[in-house]
Amino acid sequence: MPTNIKKTELTTVFGRPNTVIILLACVTIVAGLVLMAGDGTTETSFESGIFSTRRTVVAPMVCLAGYLAIIAGILLKTPASCHPTGQSQKKRTKNRIF
């Protein structure tokens, strides 16, 4: 059995603050979708609740806020102390070709 087995660290693309922002944004989007849910109109009965302010204004704005938070979480620059490798992203990608 070989004795010189290297242990590799599992690293992520984003730091911890970015991941937390993205996860909270996903929860916000799900909350917006839940606000949009409800009974629909059938052929036999008309449900006027489909035109409520909650479903047509509030819920889409909550979803939009969640999508904007995901974009912010992706674009947010993580400090070196919060990054899993302990290096800033600029230093880590300095020697890459692309």
Side-chain angles (χ1 to χ4, degrees), residues 1-92:
M1 178 147 217
T3 59
N4 55 358
I5 297 174
K6 284 188 175 182
K7 290 185 178 180
T8 58
E9 290 184 23
L10 180 64
T11 59
T12 60
V13 177
F14 301 113
R16 183 170 173 86
N18 298 71
T19 306
V20 170
I21 290 172
I22 291 171
L23 289 176
L24 288 176
C26 289
V27 169
T28 304
I29 292 170
V30 169
L33 293 174
V34 168
L35 286 173
M36 275 191 237
D39 293 336
T41 301
T42 62
E43 291 183 16
T44 58
S45 67
F46 177 74
E47 180 66 40
S48 62
I50 61 172
F51 300 113
S52 69
T53 305
R54 175 182 58 96
R55 286 174 133 183
T56 60
V57 178
V58 176
M61 291 183 108
V62 170
C63 288
L64 179 65
Y67 287 120
L68 293 175
I70 285 180
I71 292 170
I74 291 171
L75 296 178
L76 181 70
K77 191 170 187 178
T78 306
S81 61
C82 296
H83 205 272
T85 60
Q87 300 174 351
S88 68
Q89 293 173 351
K90 186 175 182 181
K91 289 179 185 175
R92 196 170 46 120

